């Protein structure tokens, strides 16, 4: 047989399959038929794909086009694998600051940083949401062209754990505060603490404090700073020209050196070693170990110096029940005002009302003068302009309203004074001495000391304040 005869023999087309090493792509290559050989059919391609186990993600359109459009002798992509889709890790959202970085307040107007307010405390109420867990989102598995499953990574699904004084709801996805306090992270878990401890001084390193629970300060409260607490405040050092306010008690283990710019207010008692040049308000008692000097002190109960020889020199002190010290005033006759028998709040309300009453009375007298002047004009038949007439009409209306206001205030003052007249309690005790310059007011009557007195007690009797010898 000759070479020419061999060339003329028909050769059928064939289909070969090519698969990538990672099995993510598959191609078919269809050879051309020769000398009127038979072309590759769709059934032949399917058998070839089955033989090579290409079973997933086959593009049937691409296969049919390769066969019917006679896309021969070049590889044709007919299958592509799918990569796995990663899911999303679950996460925990915290609704309070979880670090201890100093985050001072910035004034939006001038951009200045307020280092007195460092936002170190995050107050929460019972039931407030502290943290919330959002579950993971599962990914999608992939597949090779040969049908092998490519598994998506398993996303992380954190567990929400709470620390002290927190409650995890039944769903396990929400953590709430079990009590009022300061929310923070302890040992990696949200925790609520009802006692906020400052290990050193309250200064620029700490900033102002505003806390719903109790506050304990191991050092001093420095000038220009403030401490507010929904519970008690305990200061191991001293308080300078600062503001300290507590709904409960205030205990200053050293003392108060206020420089005229210190204010303390307590819903309970105030206790200190000494008080100098400060303003204090206590709903209950003010108890001092050594002395009170040049201060404004008001107590809903007692003001007492524990030390037998402790003194009260200068200032203004008010108490409902008792003011007790070893010595009142000094030989320099420093003005020292003591008031008793009326709760400071009631005394303040009465004083405020009396001040308004006196002001209104002055306004009424002024209007009466204008009205009298107008009557004189009318009686003397003087010409009166329309503008003057309008002014007088307005003053007459004001006069009428003012009279009604004064009558109402007069009635309230009468009630106050009737109640005050019933009060006859409150005493001042001096276990050592009282110097001239001291005045004692019980209810509304005042006794001014004009000569030194020894151990003495001031009482209210028969409408007068009287000094009586103190036994012992």
């Amino acid at each position: 047989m000759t070479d020419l005869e061999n060339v003329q023999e028909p050769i059928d087309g064939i289909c070969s399959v090519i698969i990538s090493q990672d099995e993510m792509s598959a191609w078919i290559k269809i050879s051309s038929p020769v000398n009127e050989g038979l072309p590759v059919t769709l059934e032949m391609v399917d058998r070839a794909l089955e033989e090579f186990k290409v079973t997933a993600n086959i593009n049937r359109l691409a296969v049919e086009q390769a066969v019917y459009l006679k896309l021969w002798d070049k590889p044709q992509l007919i299958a592509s694998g799918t990569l796995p889709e990663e899911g999303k890790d679950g996460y925990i959202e915290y609704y309070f600051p979880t670090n201890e970085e100093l985050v001072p307040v910035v004034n939006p107007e001038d951009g200045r940083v307020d280092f007195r307010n460092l936002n170190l405390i995050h107050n929460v109420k019972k039931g407030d949401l502290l943290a919330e867990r959002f579950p993971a989102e599962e990914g999608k598995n992939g597949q090779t062209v040969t049908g092998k499953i490519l598994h998506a990574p398993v996303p992380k699904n954190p567990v929400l754990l709470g620390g002290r004084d927190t409650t995890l709801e039944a769903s396990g996805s929400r953590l709430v505060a079990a009590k009022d306090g300061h929310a923070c992270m302890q040992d990696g878990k949200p925790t609520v603490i009802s006692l906020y401890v400052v290990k050193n001084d309250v200064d620029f390193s700490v900033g102002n404090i505003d806390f719903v629970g109790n506050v304990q300060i191991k050092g001093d409260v420095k000038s220009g700073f403030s401490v507010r607490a929904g519970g008690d405040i305990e200061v191991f050092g001293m308080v300078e020209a600062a503001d300290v306010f507590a709904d409960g008690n205030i205990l200053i283990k050293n003392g108060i050196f206020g420089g005229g710019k210190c204010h303390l207010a307590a819903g309970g008692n105030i206790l200190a070693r000494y008080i100098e040049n400060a303003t204090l308000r206590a709903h209950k008692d003010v108890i001092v170990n050594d002395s009170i000097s040049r201060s404004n002190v008001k107590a809903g109960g007692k003001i007492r110096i524990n030390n037998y020889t402790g003194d009260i020199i200068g200032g203004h002190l008010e108490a409902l029940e008792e003011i007790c010290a070893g010595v009142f005033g000094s030989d320099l006759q420093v003005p020292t005002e003591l008031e008793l028998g009326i709760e400071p709040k009631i005394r303040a309300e009465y004083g405020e009302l009396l001040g308004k009453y006196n002001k209104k009375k002055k306004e009424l007298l002024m209007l009466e003068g204008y009205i009298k002047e107008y009557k004189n004009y009318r009686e003397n038949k003087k010409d009166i302009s329309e503008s003057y007439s309008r002014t007088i009409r307005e003053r007459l209306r004001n006069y009428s309203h003012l009279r009604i206001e004064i009558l109402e205030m007069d009635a309230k003052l009468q009630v106050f004074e009737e109640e005050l007249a019933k009060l006859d309690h409150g005493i001042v005790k001096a276990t050592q001495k009282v110097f001239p310059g001291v005045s004692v007011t019980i209810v509304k009557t005042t006794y001014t000391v004009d000569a030194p007195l020894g151990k003495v007690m001031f009482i209210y009797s028969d409408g007068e304040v009287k000094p009586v010898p103190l036994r012992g």
Side-chain angles (χ1 to χ4, degrees):
M1 186 179 290
T2 65
D3 293 338
L4 182 63
E5 290 175 331
N6 289 336
V7 171
Q8 292 176 345
E9 184 178 348
I11 301 173
D12 296 337
I14 60 173
C15 175
S16 57
V17 177
I18 306 165
I19 302 175
S20 64
Q21 189 173 0
D22 60 4
E23 299 185 11
M24 294 300 289
S25 300
W27 296 264
I28 57 171
K29 184 177 180 182
I30 300 174
S31 64
S32 305
V34 178
N35 296 332
E36 298 182 355
L38 297 174
V40 172
T41 65
L42 191 61
E43 290 76 9
M44 292 170 64
V45 173
D46 287 342
R47 282 198 300 273
L49 291 175
E50 184 178 353
E51 180 183 349
F52 281 88
K53 297 180 181 179
V54 177
T55 57
N57 300 323
I58 298 174
N59 185 341
R60 294 301 301 176
L61 178 62
V63 172
E64 291 172 2
Q65 286 178 339
V67 173
Y68 296 132
L69 297 181
K70 298 181 180 181
L71 304 177
W72 296 340
D73 300 322
K74 289 183 180 181
Q76 304 295 322
L77 180 67
I78 53 85
S80 297
T82 54
L83 292 171
E85 295 182 13
E86 290 188 7
K88 291 184 178 179
D89 290 340
Y91 64 96
I92 296 175
E93 183 79 25
Y94 296 99
Y95 298 104
F96 62 93
T98 57
N99 56 31
E100 295 183 356
E101 295 179 5
L102 304 185
V103 187
V105 175
V106 178
N107 188 322
E109 295 182 0
D110 58 18
R112 292 184 178 181
V113 176
D114 182 1
F115 285 100
R116 296 185 189 277
N117 294 294
L118 301 181
N119 294 330
L120 293 180
I121 299 175
H122 185 77
N123 287 313
V124 293
K125 294 287 187 180
K126 181 179 179 181
D128 282 355
L129 182 62
L130 301 176
E132 188 171 9
R133 181 178 67 86
F134 293 87
E137 295 180 14
E138 298 292 336
K140 292 182 180 179
N141 292 335
Q143 192 176 32
T144 68
V145 295
T146 57
K148 294 179 182 177
I149 301 298
L150 302 177
H151 294 282
V154 178
K156 297 177 182 178
N157 213 2
V159 177
L160 179 57
L161 298 175
R164 187 178 65 213
D165 292 327
T166 63
T167 300
L168 188 64
E169 293 183 352
S171 64
S173 61
R174 286 166 53 93
L175 188 73
V176 299
K179 65 191 301 185
D180 296 353
H182 164 58
C184 63
M185 295 294 284
Q186 285 190 351
D187 299 326
K189 293 181 287 188
T191 302
V192 176
I193 57 175
S194 56
L195 173 64
Y196 185 76
V197 179
V198 179
K199 295 180 180 179
N200 297 298
D201 298 335
V202 174
D203 54 18
F204 284 107
S205 67
V206 175
N208 296 330
I209 294 173
D210 189 349
F211 184 54
V212 295
N214 300 326
V215 174
Q216 187 180 77
I217 299 163
K218 300 289 188 177
D220 302 334
V221 181
K222 295 298 184 180
S223 296
F225 290 89
S226 67
V227 179
R228 298 174 183 271
D232 298 336
I233 296 175
E234 183 179 17
V235 180
F236 282 53
M238 66 180 294
V239 174
E240 297 179 0
D243 293 333
V244 180
F245 306 117
D247 290 348
N249 303 310
I250 297 176
L251 170 61
I252 314 296
K253 291 191 175 180
N254 195 340
I256 302 166
F257 188 74
K261 297 180 180 179
C262 174
H263 299 84
L264 279 79
N269 304 307
I270 297 177
L271 301 93
R273 181 180 170 189
Y274 64 86
I275 301 169
E276 183 171 336
N277 214 356
T279 299
L280 285 77
R281 304 286 184 275
H283 186 68
K284 295 182 180 179
D285 299 339
V286 175
I287 310 298
V288 179
N289 190 58
D290 293 339
S291 66
I292 299 175
S293 174
R294 294 176 176 81
S295 295
N296 188 323
V297 182
K298 294 184 179 182
K302 302 175 182 178
I303 299 174
R304 189 172 73 241
I305 306 294
N306 277 335
N307 193 322
Y308 185 74
T309 59
D311 53 19
I312 294 176
I313 303 173
H316 183 96
L317 289 82
E318 296 181 26
L320 178 62
E321 300 173 11
E322 176 183 294
I323 301 176
C324 180
V327 178
F328 290 96
S330 73
D331 52 9
L332 297 177
Q333 299 189 16
V334 178
T336 305
E337 301 173 352
L338 313 174
E339 293 191 34
L340 292 104
I342 303 175
E343 189 174 349
K345 182 181 177 182
I346 296 175
R347 189 191 303 278
E349 290 173 357
Y350 173 72
E352 183 180 359
L353 181 60
L354 187 60
K356 289 180 180 178
Y357 176 80
N358 291 332
K359 184 179 178 181
K360 297 287 184 184
K361 289 283 284 185
K362 289 181 181 179
E363 292 175 9
L364 189 69
L365 288 172
M366 188 179 295
L367 287 175
E368 286 176 348
Y370 291 137
I371 294 169
K372 186 177 180 181
E373 180 185 76
Y374 174 70
K375 286 180 178 180
N376 288 335
Y377 284 167
R378 293 291 300 270
E379 289 172 359
N380 294 324
K381 298 181 180 181
K382 291 184 178 181
D383 291 335
I384 299 172
S385 67
E386 180 58 31
S387 62
Y388 183 70
S389 296
R390 285 197 302 269
T391 301
I392 286 298
R393 286 195 294 271
E394 179 65 25
R395 285 171 175 170
L396 285 171
R397 283 193 294 270
N398 291 342
Y399 181 79
S400 177
H401 292 151
L402 204 55
R403 277 182 57 82
I404 293 171
E405 284 186 61
I406 288 173
L407 287 172
E408 291 174 350
M409 294 172 76
D410 192 56
K412 290 179 181 178
L413 284 170
Q414 188 173 349
V415 171
F416 261 114
E417 289 170 356
E418 287 175 357
E419 290 300 315
L420 294 177
K422 298 175 184 177
L423 299 173
D424 59 358
H425 61 285
I427 59 172
V428 172
K429 289 183 180 179
T431 58
Q432 295 293 315
K433 195 172 186 179
V434 181
F435 286 95
V438 174
S439 64
V440 179
T441 301
I442 301 179
V443 186
K444 291 175 63 178
T445 305
T446 301
Y447 181 96
T448 302
V449 178
D450 54 13
L453 299 172
K455 298 179 181 179
V456 68
M457 177 171 64
F458 295 89
I459 63 171
Y460 185 78
S461 177
D462 299 327
E464 295 180 351
V465 177
K466 300 177 180 179
V468 296
L470 192 62
R471 296 179 182 178

